[in-house]
Amino acid sequence: MEKVLLELSQVAIEFPTDKGPFCAVQNVQLKVKKGEFVSLIGHSGCGKSTVLNMVAGLNQATTGGIVMNGREINQPGPERAVVFQNHSLLPWLTCYQNVELAVKTIFKQQMSRQEMHEWILHNLDLVHMTHAKDKRPSEISGGMKQRVGIARALAMKPEILLMDEPFGALDALTRAHLQDSLMDIQAKLNNTVIMITHDVDEAVLLSDRIVMMTNGPAATIGDILEVNLERPRKRLAVAEMPEYHRLRTEVLSFLYEKHNKVEPIDQASTEKNKNKAGKVA
Ligand SMILES: Nc1ncnc2c1ncn2[C@@H]1O[C@H](COP(=O)(O)OP(=O)(O)OP(=O)(O)O)[C@@H](O)[C@H]1O
């Protein structure tokens, strides 16, 4: 069995507000193994980004702690690269230069200029963006920007990749292409990934485990679903598998029956929500 890379123990966080402390999440317990792909899913505002930001070192837990490789996390670090929904590339730099900036910041002491150059090209190639390396973000599509954002994160050689709805702003086709690319990259590199998603199908297709969160305030992990679909996964073949549909139904049932956010819960609204093509509101 792979070793545990990351452990969240009894994690809770309170934000100061005008009305006093607001407990966003509490009692979050999670172990993530090296090479594992874990998705976080839950209704809007339940605390998914808050949890991810704590792992990134951008938020500090009020109680409990997060340990990675035996060291407590209390600030951001290059071993935990974050990919946001909106790529966050610097608009005045080309794709190449955006990746270069991250590579230089981290590897200037360890790599020669030539090694850095090859490493940047290698990572752009991984996401199929070599052809557009000299373009600026304004000259490429949303999906391409997101690819460069992923290349930049991977180029940091992170031990864990944290993705906050990385494909949330993309159209369905582009999203599917990027999901496939991410699965290919993961098969090659065996990255450890924690990804927030609102898309039930995306969660089932990509994940080894799906962490389902209850509604806030004081949200916590309600259930964790193991996804044992064989890899490599091909979306069309997977969509035919009864196990895929069972898992999908489990997630939908957690979200819309056990922890529905729409109140009062009546049969009509539950059915309506279930038919939202697997997108969580
Ligand atoms: N800095 C902050 N100060 C006060 N409250 C905060 C702060 N950051 C987050 N919250 C609150 O914590 C809760 C969880 O927010 P969070 O952004 O983690 O939810 P989320 O599940 O990622 O939502 P979404 O799916 O809509 O992105 C929300 O009620 C939010 O208003």
Side-chain angles (χ1 to χ4, degrees), residues 211-276:
V211 172
M212 299 181 284
M213 292 189 60
T214 62
N215 296 325
T220 191
I221 294 175
D223 213 345
I224 299 182
L225 195 64
E226 300 266 347
V227 181
N228 288 318
L229 299 168
E230 211 177 300
R231 294 186 189 270
R233 297 176 187 163
K234 295 284 169 216
R235 68 178 55 247
L236 290 179
V238 164
E240 306 257 295
M241 293 176 184
E243 177 64 359
Y244 170 79
H245 292 280
R246 184 190 71 77
L247 292 163
R248 193 178 185 277
T249 305
E250 285 256 353
V251 182
L252 288 172
S253 147
F254 177 92
L255 293 168
Y256 297 117
E257 281 165 3
K258 297 183 190 134
H259 297 278
N260 201 343
K261 230 191 158 187
V262 185
E263 288 175 345
I265 305 169
D266 60 36
Q267 193 56 29
S269 66
T270 304
E271 287 307 315
K272 197 171 126 209
N273 280 334
K274 265 189 173 177
N275 289 331
K276 278 183 182 169

Side-chain angles (χ1 to χ4, degrees), residues 11 145 161 173:
V11 168
K145 283 180 222 176
L161 199 56
L173 263 181

